[in-house]
Amino acid sequence: MATVTPPIQAPGKGILLYMTGIFCMATMDLLAKTLAQEVHVSQAIWARYAGQTVIVALWFLPNLRTVAKTRYPGMQFARSMSLLLGTSMFFTSLTFLGLAEATAIMDINPVFITLGAALFLGERFGPRRAFGVIAALIGALIIIRPGSEVFSPFAFLPMIAACGYATFILLTRKVGHDEDPRTSLLYAALLGAVVTSVIVPFFWVPPSPKAMLLMVAIGGFGALGQLFLIQAVRFAEASAIAPFSYVGLLIAAFWGAVVFGEFPDLATWIGGAIIVASGIYIWHRERVTA
């Protein structure tokens, strides 16, 4: 029987890694939205996984046989499919919603992560974490404003994506104690690449040189983002880092304004400020506890 290595508890480091990973993923979303204006969205999804697979395989080539060995084939498969579901739904939503709006709806995922961690991973769910998650949810609801035009049928796509992403984070936490993070990174890319490679030929549009460059960049940022996220949950509990998903909302608002001219309104800034404040509060409490 394999020996399970206890998780390293360094909440501050885990949160910093998580925020860096979120930045990479938010930038990848920007590139995907840009790419989807030229080709079918399935090509953006395929580029995310195929590009990451090539980069990871070349990176780990000297030790690829060792890296490919996993103790949890079933959970690695479930991780990859959960992430693929989340990516597919979110990339598709970007063709119908603004970058900030889709990200705001996606930011419901911290609630799913924290509750799932308490139910399935046995992590404690104290009043401070509950306060942070509830505050983050209130901030997201202020941005979404139920009943407004953001709540179109397409708004359910990032909600489904949030479920997929939360499941991915929880399963990553589960295998992260004694699984090589390189192995998790490889399988998250490889299985997604196999599935999308079967689907994408039916929707393929010949890409321009610009589109090809975007596809490569999507794979690169996806690989970096995944590596940081996998490392993050090795140092901090999933429910502790969950509220810091707000970083993606702020980055999305910035990219949306700069690249697409989508300027967030006052409600978006108020909701974002609440989410930021809740995350900083929990980070402070985690550092004090550690």
Side-chain angles (χ1 to χ4, degrees), residues 251-275:
I251 297 171
F254 173 78
W255 284 137
V258 172
V259 179
F260 301 108
E262 302 168 351
F263 293 96
D265 56 17
L266 180 60
T268 300
W269 289 118
I270 293 174
I274 293 174
I275 295 172

Short mmCIF file of all heavy atoms in Angstrom, two decimals, residues 251-275:
data_model
loop_
_atom_site.label_atom_id
_atom_site.label_comp_id
_atom_site.label_asym_id
_atom_site.label_seq_id
_atom_site.Cartn_x
_atom_site.Cartn_y
_atom_site.Cartn_z
N ILE A 251 -9.50 40.57 -13.22
CA ILE A 251 -8.69 40.50 -14.44
C ILE A 251 -9.60 40.50 -15.67
O ILE A 251 -9.30 41.15 -16.68
CB ILE A 251 -7.80 39.24 -14.41
CG1 ILE A 251 -6.82 39.32 -13.24
CG2 ILE A 251 -7.03 39.10 -15.72
CD1 ILE A 251 -6.05 38.03 -13.01
N ALA A 252 -10.70 39.76 -15.59
CA ALA A 252 -11.64 39.72 -16.71
C ALA A 252 -12.22 41.10 -16.99
O ALA A 252 -12.37 41.50 -18.15
CB ALA A 252 -12.76 38.72 -16.43
N ALA A 253 -12.54 41.85 -15.91
CA ALA A 253 -13.06 43.20 -16.10
C ALA A 253 -12.02 44.09 -16.78
O ALA A 253 -12.35 44.89 -17.66
CB ALA A 253 -13.47 43.78 -14.75
N PHE A 254 -10.76 43.92 -16.38
CA PHE A 254 -9.69 44.71 -16.99
C PHE A 254 -9.52 44.36 -18.46
O PHE A 254 -9.50 45.24 -19.33
CB PHE A 254 -8.39 44.46 -16.23
CG PHE A 254 -7.19 45.11 -16.87
CD1 PHE A 254 -6.94 46.47 -16.72
CD2 PHE A 254 -6.31 44.36 -17.63
CE1 PHE A 254 -5.83 47.07 -17.31
CE2 PHE A 254 -5.19 44.94 -18.23
CZ PHE A 254 -4.96 46.31 -18.07
N TRP A 255 -9.40 43.07 -18.77
CA TRP A 255 -9.22 42.65 -20.16
C TRP A 255 -10.43 43.03 -21.00
O TRP A 255 -10.29 43.44 -22.16
CB TRP A 255 -9.00 41.15 -20.23
CG TRP A 255 -7.65 40.63 -19.83
CD1 TRP A 255 -7.40 39.54 -19.05
CD2 TRP A 255 -6.37 41.15 -20.20
NE1 TRP A 255 -6.05 39.36 -18.90
CE2 TRP A 255 -5.39 40.33 -19.60
CE3 TRP A 255 -5.95 42.24 -20.97
CZ2 TRP A 255 -4.03 40.55 -19.75
CZ3 TRP A 255 -4.58 42.47 -21.12
CH2 TRP A 255 -3.64 41.64 -20.51
N GLY A 256 -11.63 42.87 -20.44
CA GLY A 256 -12.83 43.21 -21.19
C GLY A 256 -12.86 44.68 -21.58
O GLY A 256 -13.25 45.04 -22.70
N ALA A 257 -12.42 45.55 -20.66
CA ALA A 257 -12.41 46.98 -20.94
C ALA A 257 -11.33 47.34 -21.95
O ALA A 257 -11.57 48.11 -22.89
CB ALA A 257 -12.19 47.76 -19.64
N VAL A 258 -10.14 46.77 -21.78
CA VAL A 258 -9.00 47.14 -22.63
C VAL A 258 -9.14 46.58 -24.04
O VAL A 258 -8.90 47.27 -25.04
CB VAL A 258 -7.68 46.67 -21.99
CG1 VAL A 258 -6.51 46.85 -22.95
CG2 VAL A 258 -7.42 47.42 -20.70
N VAL A 259 -9.54 45.32 -24.14
CA VAL A 259 -9.54 44.64 -25.44
C VAL A 259 -10.88 44.76 -26.17
O VAL A 259 -10.91 44.98 -27.38
CB VAL A 259 -9.16 43.15 -25.27
CG1 VAL A 259 -9.19 42.43 -26.62
CG2 VAL A 259 -7.80 43.02 -24.62
N PHE A 260 -12.00 44.64 -25.44
CA PHE A 260 -13.31 44.59 -26.09
C PHE A 260 -14.16 45.83 -25.82
O PHE A 260 -15.29 45.90 -26.30
CB PHE A 260 -14.07 43.34 -25.64
CG PHE A 260 -13.36 42.05 -25.96
CD1 PHE A 260 -12.78 41.30 -24.94
CD2 PHE A 260 -13.26 41.60 -27.26
CE1 PHE A 260 -12.12 40.12 -25.23
CE2 PHE A 260 -12.60 40.41 -27.55
CZ PHE A 260 -12.02 39.68 -26.54
N GLY A 261 -13.65 46.77 -25.05
CA GLY A 261 -14.44 47.96 -24.75
C GLY A 261 -15.63 47.70 -23.87
O GLY A 261 -16.61 48.45 -23.90
N GLU A 262 -15.57 46.64 -23.06
CA GLU A 262 -16.65 46.30 -22.14
C GLU A 262 -16.34 46.91 -20.77
O GLU A 262 -15.58 46.34 -19.99
CB GLU A 262 -16.80 44.78 -22.03
CG GLU A 262 -17.05 44.08 -23.35
CD GLU A 262 -16.89 42.57 -23.24
OE1 GLU A 262 -16.41 42.09 -22.19
OE2 GLU A 262 -17.24 41.87 -24.21
N PHE A 263 -16.90 48.08 -20.50
CA PHE A 263 -16.59 48.77 -19.26
C PHE A 263 -17.58 48.39 -18.17
O PHE A 263 -18.79 48.63 -18.32
CB PHE A 263 -16.60 50.29 -19.48
CG PHE A 263 -15.51 50.76 -20.39
CD1 PHE A 263 -15.75 50.95 -21.75
CD2 PHE A 263 -14.24 50.99 -19.90
CE1 PHE A 263 -14.74 51.38 -22.59
CE2 PHE A 263 -13.22 51.42 -20.74
CZ PHE A 263 -13.47 51.61 -22.09
N PRO A 264 -17.10 47.79 -17.07
CA PRO A 264 -18.00 47.41 -15.97
C PRO A 264 -18.69 48.63 -15.38
O PRO A 264 -18.11 49.71 -15.27
CB PRO A 264 -17.04 46.78 -14.95
CG PRO A 264 -15.83 46.38 -15.73
CD PRO A 264 -15.71 47.41 -16.82
N ASP A 265 -19.95 48.46 -14.98
CA ASP A 265 -20.69 49.56 -14.39
C ASP A 265 -20.45 49.61 -12.88
O ASP A 265 -19.67 48.84 -12.32
CB ASP A 265 -22.18 49.44 -14.70
CG ASP A 265 -22.76 48.11 -14.25
OD1 ASP A 265 -22.10 47.43 -13.43
OD2 ASP A 265 -23.85 47.75 -14.71
N LEU A 266 -21.14 50.52 -12.21
CA LEU A 266 -20.92 50.74 -10.78
C LEU A 266 -21.23 49.49 -9.96
O LEU A 266 -20.50 49.15 -9.02
CB LEU A 266 -21.80 51.91 -10.29
CG LEU A 266 -21.69 52.26 -8.80
CD1 LEU A 266 -20.26 52.65 -8.45
CD2 LEU A 266 -22.67 53.37 -8.45
N ALA A 267 -22.30 48.78 -10.30
CA ALA A 267 -22.66 47.58 -9.56
C ALA A 267 -21.56 46.53 -9.65
O ALA A 267 -21.29 45.81 -8.67
CB ALA A 267 -23.98 47.01 -10.08
N THR A 268 -20.91 46.43 -10.81
CA THR A 268 -19.83 45.47 -10.97
C THR A 268 -18.66 45.81 -10.06
O THR A 268 -18.07 44.93 -9.42
CB THR A 268 -19.35 45.44 -12.43
OG1 THR A 268 -20.45 45.05 -13.27
CG2 THR A 268 -18.21 44.46 -12.62
N TRP A 269 -18.33 47.10 -9.97
CA TRP A 269 -17.23 47.51 -9.09
C TRP A 269 -17.57 47.29 -7.63
O TRP A 269 -16.72 46.86 -6.84
CB TRP A 269 -16.88 48.97 -9.34
CG TRP A 269 -16.23 49.22 -10.66
CD1 TRP A 269 -16.70 50.00 -11.69
CD2 TRP A 269 -14.98 48.68 -11.12
NE1 TRP A 269 -15.82 49.97 -12.75
CE2 TRP A 269 -14.76 49.17 -12.42
CE3 TRP A 269 -14.04 47.83 -10.55
CZ2 TRP A 269 -13.63 48.84 -13.17
CZ3 TRP A 269 -12.90 47.49 -11.29
CH2 TRP A 269 -12.71 48.00 -12.58
N ILE A 270 -18.82 47.56 -7.24
CA ILE A 270 -19.23 47.35 -5.84
C ILE A 270 -19.16 45.87 -5.48
O ILE A 270 -18.61 45.48 -4.45
CB ILE A 270 -20.65 47.90 -5.60
CG1 ILE A 270 -20.66 49.43 -5.73
CG2 ILE A 270 -21.17 47.48 -4.22
CD1 ILE A 270 -22.04 50.04 -5.65
N GLY A 271 -19.72 45.04 -6.37
CA GLY A 271 -19.68 43.60 -6.12
C GLY A 271 -18.26 43.08 -6.09
O GLY A 271 -17.89 42.25 -5.23
N GLY A 272 -17.43 43.56 -7.00
CA GLY A 272 -16.02 43.14 -7.02
C GLY A 272 -15.30 43.54 -5.76
O GLY A 272 -14.48 42.77 -5.23
N ALA A 273 -15.59 44.74 -5.23
CA ALA A 273 -14.94 45.20 -4.00
C ALA A 273 -15.33 44.32 -2.82
O ALA A 273 -14.49 44.00 -1.96
CB ALA A 273 -15.33 46.65 -3.72
N ILE A 274 -16.58 43.88 -2.76
CA ILE A 274 -17.02 42.99 -1.69
C ILE A 274 -16.30 41.65 -1.77
O ILE A 274 -15.85 41.10 -0.75
CB ILE A 274 -18.55 42.79 -1.76
CG1 ILE A 274 -19.27 44.11 -1.45
CG2 ILE A 274 -19.00 41.70 -0.77
CD1 ILE A 274 -20.77 44.05 -1.63
N ILE A 275 -16.17 41.12 -2.98
CA ILE A 275 -15.49 39.84 -3.17
C ILE A 275 -14.02 39.95 -2.77
O ILE A 275 -13.47 39.08 -2.09
CB ILE A 275 -15.63 39.38 -4.63
CG1 ILE A 275 -17.10 39.09 -4.95
CG2 ILE A 275 -14.79 38.13 -4.89
CD1 ILE A 275 -17.37 38.82 -6.41
#
